[in-house]
Amino acid sequence: GHHVSSQRIRFQRRNMPCRYDIDRFTPSFLSIFESLVPSQEEIAKQKQLLTSLSRIINKEWPNSKLYLYGSCANSFGFSNSDIDLCLSIDDKEMSKVDIILKLADILQAANLRNIQPLTRARVPIVKLMDPETGLSCDICVNNLLAVVNTKLLRDYAQIDRRLRQLAFIVKHWAKSRRVNETYQGTLSSYAYVIMCIHLLQLRRLLPCLQEMEATYFVTVDENNCAYFDQVDKLNNYGAHSRDTVSRLLWAFFHYWAYEHDYTKDVISIRTGRIISKERKDWTRRVGNDRHLICIEDPFEISHDLGRVVDKFTIKILREEFERAANILQFDLNPSVTLFEPYVP
Ligand code: ATP
Ligand code: MG
């Protein structure tokens, strides 16, 4: 029946080597990458906004500190994306919600626009627009784990340029195909970057920084975050490998379409290996965590970045991985077809 033959197709595809002419497409993929990278001018504007907001907020809270995090600081951000900021503040008197409300007042008085405090969100934030730079941003409070994982991603990106190339193309694919929407049950950009890092660790293009002797340590809400962060000493790490962005893209989608064992495996950049669902006790649904695709957070290790995926969206995701793998294997124009918008 249909089931048997589709199993057979899957099996055959799994053993298929990469097409011999994959590198014909490398220039096109690299030019897509270049077109998505933010300009120096844009990066300077982001810094300017950080400086002016820090000045405003420090007047009220002299001991606070404002950090950039997320895509504008982890080096995986596209041009024209929103800015994520995190205010670190040690005020035992005030709750997070009170801080958010007071922050909104301070920003209002300083003439920032479109100020919206969202106090009931899972992560409470203030949204605003800066008329000077035209940039929009979200400010959250005391979410330091996000600041630390931002640094980890940025440090990995410095080791081998192919990580950034791969992750940009994967994010662009995910946005085009509408599988980058956590509120719809698909994966965050953060999760896709972790999936790319893991693939490059398996292929020995990247080391596992958390398994090396730590040169950077912080403790955030009981989580010990420690890793080797002198990455300028590692910039020859992947030099032995001639993998190009096209081959890595093929490997990425082939892995998630045909090689990953969804019933048993957890990917873990903390260890640089695949670990078992059994060992993490992620074999069944617990509350809202379904563990249908398992991606361990590097610091909050009880946190599965795939937990938002449900029994409907896992099918959509796997079909999209297969579609992408097949395009890279067979299509005449993969650098176009891969990003064709999803039409419901
Ligand atoms: P985009 O370009 O799509 O805006 P982004 O890099 O800002 O991408 P998001 O997924 O919006 O990615 O995440 C922003 C930041 O928030 C991440 O860099 C990470 O620090 C943190 N983050 C997001 N999701 C999680 C999560 N599930 N667990 C821990 N930290 C997360
Ligand atoms: Mg973002």
Side-chain angles (χ1 to χ4, degrees):
H2 173 71
H3 185 65
V4 172
S5 63
S6 70
Q7 286 279 37
R8 182 171 307 146
I9 289 171
R10 248 187 210 170
F11 180 76
Q12 288 169 351
R13 295 271 159 89
R14 177 182 315 161
N15 292 302
M16 210 176 258
C18 186
R19 73 204 270 176
Y20 74 93
D21 63 344
I22 189 86
D23 282 323
R24 279 205 298 142
F25 310 111
T26 303
S28 320
F29 282 123
L30 287 178
S31 68
I32 292 170
F33 165 71
E34 295 296 343
S35 72
L36 297 167
V37 171
S39 65
Q40 285 305 319
E41 190 193 353
E42 194 181 337
I43 292 168
K45 271 190 184 174
Q46 295 174 350
K47 296 266 152 64
Q48 185 194 332
L49 177 59
L50 175 68
T51 312
S52 72
L53 290 176
S54 298
R55 201 168 293 143
I56 294 164
I57 296 170
N58 273 324
K59 272 192 204 140
E60 190 65 39
W61 282 301
N63 293 322
S64 70
K65 186 163 165 50
L66 195 61
Y67 295 93
L68 276 175
Y69 77 101
S71 61
C72 56
N74 65 18
S75 70
F76 296 99
F78 291 0
S79 61
N80 303 319
S81 51
D82 287 358
I83 318 252
D84 298 307
L85 292 166
C86 172
L87 179 66
S88 156
I89 175 169
D90 189 16
D91 187 331
K92 305 236 161 23
E93 316 283 275
M94 287 175 88
S95 71
K96 247 185 206 185
V97 167
D98 293 340
I99 294 172
I100 290 285
L101 292 171
K102 182 163 173 195
L103 186 56
D105 288 340
I106 296 169
L107 297 166
Q108 192 80 54
N111 273 324
L112 289 143
R113 305 285 151 78
N114 307 352
I115 295 165
Q116 277 177 283
L118 304 182
T119 52
R120 288 144 64 98
R122 192 179 59 83
V123 178
I125 55 169
V126 186
K127 289 185 157 297
L128 65 94
M129 202 280 278
D130 171 37
E132 201 113 319
T133 55
L135 296 175
S136 295
C137 71
D138 295 350
I139 308 181
C140 67
V141 175
N142 290 341
N143 188 6
L144 283 174
L145 220 37
V147 175
V148 177
N149 66 36
T150 293
K151 173 173 159 59
L152 181 72
L153 267 45
R154 186 178 57 235
D155 286 339
Y156 270 115
Q158 277 201 48
I159 300 172
D160 196 296
R161 67 213 294 199
R162 289 168 289 188
L163 171 60
R164 238 181 130 215
Q165 297 167 352
L166 174 67
F168 266 67
I169 305 279
V170 168
K171 271 178 69 174
H172 182 43
W173 160 83
K175 289 177 196 291
S176 313
R177 302 301 299 172
R178 313 240 318 245
V179 287
N180 179 209
E181 300 172 342
T182 42
Y183 52 90
Q184 306 268 24
T186 57
L187 298 171
S188 65
S189 295
Y190 177 61
Y192 283 114
V193 174
I194 302 259
M195 289 155 80
C196 293
I197 293 173
H198 192 255
L199 179 86
L200 299 202
Q201 287 178 330
L202 294 183
R203 296 175 81 86
R204 302 278 180 266
L205 265 77
L206 288 177
C208 173
L209 296 175
Q210 290 172 274
E211 292 267 279
M212 297 170 67
E213 199 183 328
T215 51
Y216 169 82
F217 320 79
V218 278
T219 302
V220 183
D221 323 319
E222 269 109 73
N223 296 290
N224 281 321
C225 309
Y227 68 92
F228 182 79
D229 77 335
Q230 299 175 1
V231 287
D232 50 327
K233 296 189 178 147
L234 298 173
N235 51 23
N236 266 323
Y237 187 91
H240 64 89
S241 160
R242 301 172 65 96
D243 283 342
T244 56
V245 67
S246 328
R247 191 169 293 267
L248 293 171
L249 267 174
W250 176 89
F252 180 90
F253 288 115
H254 195 266
Y255 176 80
W256 288 100
Y258 303 120
E259 294 169 61
H260 183 74
D261 186 340
Y262 288 79
T263 60
K264 297 202 179 88
D265 295 347
V266 177
I267 67 154
S268 160
I269 68 164
R270 173 181 60 98
T271 58
R273 283 179 247 274
I274 290 180
I275 57 185
S276 81
K277 278 189 172 189
E278 195 101 69
R279 232 181 68 197
K280 296 201 64 105
D281 203 17
W282 282 359
T283 48
R284 65 214 139 68
R285 175 172 173 169
V286 179
N288 257 334
D289 292 12
R290 297 174 181 84
H291 304 306
L292 300 175
I293 175 171
C294 295
I295 303 161
E296 183 191 63
D297 185 87
F299 298 121
E300 241 183 322
I301 67 173
S302 63
H303 187 160
D304 177 3
L305 302 177
R307 67 183 176 177
V308 287
V309 175
D310 63 35
K311 64 181 178 191
F312 300 106
T313 53
I314 187 70
K315 263 195 79 197
I316 294 171
L317 265 176
R318 295 187 63 174
E319 281 167 16
E320 288 294 337
F321 290 142
E322 287 181 30
R323 171 186 176 275
N326 293 337
I327 288 169
L328 286 158
Q329 188 78 284
F330 301 113
D331 198 87
L332 294 176
N333 215 346
S335 61
V336 175
T337 317
L338 193 61
F339 311 106
E340 269 168 10
Y342 170 77
V343 187

